[in-house]
Amino acid sequence: MGDKLKGKKIAILVEEGFEQVELTKPLQALKDEGAEAHIISPNKNSEIKAWNHTDWGEKFKVDKKLSDVKAEDYNALLLPGGVMNPDNLRTNQDAVSFVNSFMESGKPVAAICHAPWTLIETGKVKGRKMTSYHTLKTDLKNAGAEWVDQEVVVDKGLVTSRNPGDIPAFNKKMIEEFAEGKHDR
């Protein structure tokens, strides 16, 4: 247990179908460093289902409804991947606005796997160096990002990784950037 994130509140935005390990492992890393983390969802249910590699996974309690929170209430944002999760989030204007508030403010954001789809919708990836699951390469390039194939990429507080295999490196950089706080845009 550490205290690098003691006193920090972290938003974790998810919808049905998030990749289970991309929530559980980063969440545990955040808690191990003393962060208070909330699972936030626009979903009306009190629980949401994860996707576990090739099938439905466990259900997780939603701590806060998206309609009840503001980005100003949090120090940083974690966006787990999965295919269904970011695909649903990027079509939800309230979710995109919430994510955009973090991008606008310079607060750190960590996004893994397919999660950059939601970041693309903010219009704030142009000129940013990023990585993602390989199938998002063209989407990110078309949105103006510099896509690279690396396990973790950091660009002014924006942390991105490719897949669950990158979680150890992703968690390390996420904690580092979340501890540093706001970055110049």
Side-chain angles (χ1 to χ4, degrees):
M1 295 286 276
D3 64 355
K4 291 178 185 169
L5 299 177
K6 188 175 181 179
K8 302 258 186 190
K9 284 178 65 177
I10 312 301
I12 304 171
L13 183 63
V14 290
E15 182 53 280
E16 292 279 322
F18 60 90
E19 185 63 44
Q20 186 166 308
V21 71
E22 292 173 4
L23 171 89
T24 57
K25 298 246 182 199
L27 174 59
Q28 190 59 55
L30 292 168
K31 287 181 175 181
D32 287 349
E33 288 297 340
E36 178 184 347
H38 294 155
I39 296 174
I40 299 167
S41 182
N43 195 297
K44 292 178 174 61
N45 299 321
S46 60
E47 291 183 326
I48 51 174
K49 266 194 291 188
W51 189 255
N52 193 9
H53 304 294
T54 59
D55 205 351
W56 286 106
E58 297 173 33
K59 288 184 178 182
F60 290 80
K61 179 184 172 290
V62 173
D63 297 311
K64 306 271 184 180
K65 300 285 184 216
L66 179 60
S67 58
D68 296 335
V69 298
K70 295 183 206 128
E72 297 81 42
D73 300 334
Y74 294 92
N75 300 102
L77 174 65
L78 168 62
L79 295 170
V83 176
M84 289 175 272
N85 168 50
D87 199 37
N88 285 326
L89 289 174
R90 71 183 176 152
T91 61
N92 181 310
Q93 190 52 52
D94 292 334
V96 173
S97 293
F98 185 71
V99 173
N100 186 57
S101 293
F102 284 90
M103 297 295 284
E104 279 281 319
S105 70
K107 289 180 182 179
V109 174
I112 188 167
C113 199
H114 288 78
W117 262 343
T118 309
L119 295 174
I120 289 169
E121 291 302 315
T122 70
K124 303 284 187 298
V125 300
K126 187 175 184 177
R128 304 298 290 267
K129 185 176 180 181
M130 300 174 70
T131 195
S132 66
Y133 194 71
H134 66 92
T135 59
L136 274 67
K137 175 182 178 180
T138 301
D139 295 340
L140 282 163
K141 284 181 158 187
N142 286 342
E146 177 192 345
W147 188 89
V148 294
D149 186 12
Q150 296 174 359
E151 69 178 353
V152 66
V153 175
V154 178
D155 183 325
K156 297 179 189 145
L158 177 60
V159 180
T160 52
S161 280
R162 302 171 299 190
N163 57 56
D166 297 337
I167 289 174
F170 177 74
N171 285 350
K172 182 179 178 189
K173 287 298 184 183
M174 172 186 66
I175 288 165
E176 188 178 299
E177 295 302 306
F178 286 10
E180 285 179 15
K182 279 189 176 187
H183 291 68
D184 290 333
R185 287 184 295 150

